[in-house]
Amino acid sequence: MEYSKVPMRSSSMGEEDEHLEPSTPTGQYYSSSSLSMSILAVLELEIPIDDSQTMSLLENVFLPINPRFSSLLVTGENGEKHWKKVTVNLDDHVKVPLFEEGLPVECYDEYLQEYLSKIAMERLPQSRPLWEIYIFKYPTSNAAGTVVFKLHHALGDGYSLMGALFSCLQRSDNPSLPLAFPKIRSDDYMNKKKSVFETLSMFKNTITDFTWSLWKGMLEDHASPIRSAKEGVEFRPVSISTVTFSLDQIKEIKAKLGGTLNDVIVGVIFYGIRLYMETASKGAGNARSTALVLLNTREITTYQSVEEMGKSETKGPWGNNFGFIHVSIPNATNLDNSDPLEFVFEAKEMITKKKNSLVVYLTGKLIDLMSKLRGPEETSKYIRDVIWKSSMAISNLIGPVEKISLANHPVKSIYFMVVNVPQSLMVTMVSYMGKMKIAVGAEKELIDHTLFNACLDEAFERIFKSSIDSVPRD
């Protein structure tokens, strides 16, 4: 993705440069000619949409959240990227599609899915700030109306951008109260001091995981029912669909099997993937398949306000502060006779081991060194290559506990999706009001999303039933 070039001096900021803010290195990696990703945040509303407040909400609430929402990403004479403050024409950023009125909801389900695919594939115009909003006013099976925010990854990561979105929302029961979120990590986890044994274990895990991560960066996964292995996959049409699980049932599984909610849901996803692969192609369940699990690297226990993110001393700053770990998707030799709980146990073991290492930190340092030696464009090519050689990515966010509203429109459900990723499969998850919404971004010509979602449902059902009858395990 190319950006407008403007003259910039390398000396002290003059009158021309007073509105220029340097882009972060990570922001440059994800806005290059090799890698240019965006995030879709989807709000499913309970009542029909009245969009009369849209412009006021954007001007008075959304734009003030961060200067980048009113800035262009421009490239200087030496290739360095900066944010340049501009006047925003809101009409350019708000899209309201028109379809025939009075059709069955099943038709609008199909229209919305096609529209999301179209949004996902279109690149944000480089001539204006890198965000857009789409207002789908037609009823679907899941909502009376749907609002979609599209924000370029250069603006920030999922934590930052969803935090910005939540700043535009209010509690439905009492708008004067702040939104409440579950903790991302416990205070005990953040303050825990490691024993000598744990320190040595971390050292060992770091060496093992960092070496394996470098090896995985060179070793390409097999082509399979979830990986086309085609170059330019980020430009191919995608389908975006969702499944929903009960958080209470996930917590029941966690109570029986131990670990975290994230361990459980990753185990469910891995099991569902192998079910799908075996169903789509007999024997494909043993294909070498790796997932990139995205991790928030901020030292925080819950969401911070946008004001807190902007403070220099904050532990949860705005921007792109995440890393990823390679996790092998467990092989499946005989799914009909195997214990589905083993997928949860393996996910827990692998993720716990990798969290108890400094592999994300070292990988970040390696990328920083590469950027200094070879420049951000070459570093972006390396990151893109690592992503492409794996089979899929998994990302999760924590949503509000109570019901929320957007401009007095109660929100029934939330989900998000990272698009223009050089992979055939992307799975995201977000919790909200006792539900876990799983969103699946799948390469259209490769993956049958209806069958894939059915396999996720089947995986969850089998794991839940098996966990109820199991003996508790630490």
Side-chain angles (χ1 to χ4, degrees), residues 84-105:
K84 181 186 179 183
K85 190 81 170 172
V86 295
T87 300
V88 181
N89 182 355
L90 293 176
D91 289 329
D92 291 338
H93 294 263
V94 180
K95 314 293 181 182
V96 184
L98 296 177
F99 299 99
E100 183 180 347
E101 300 279 355
L103 297 176
V105 293

Side-chain angles (χ1 to χ4, degrees), residues 36-37 69 100 137 234 248 256 261 269 314 345 357:
S36 182
M37 302 188 298
F69 294 154
E100 183 180 347
K137 293 185 174 183
E234 60 266 51
D248 285 339
K256 280 283 193 173
L261 296 180
I269 291 170
T314 183
F345 294 138
S357 81

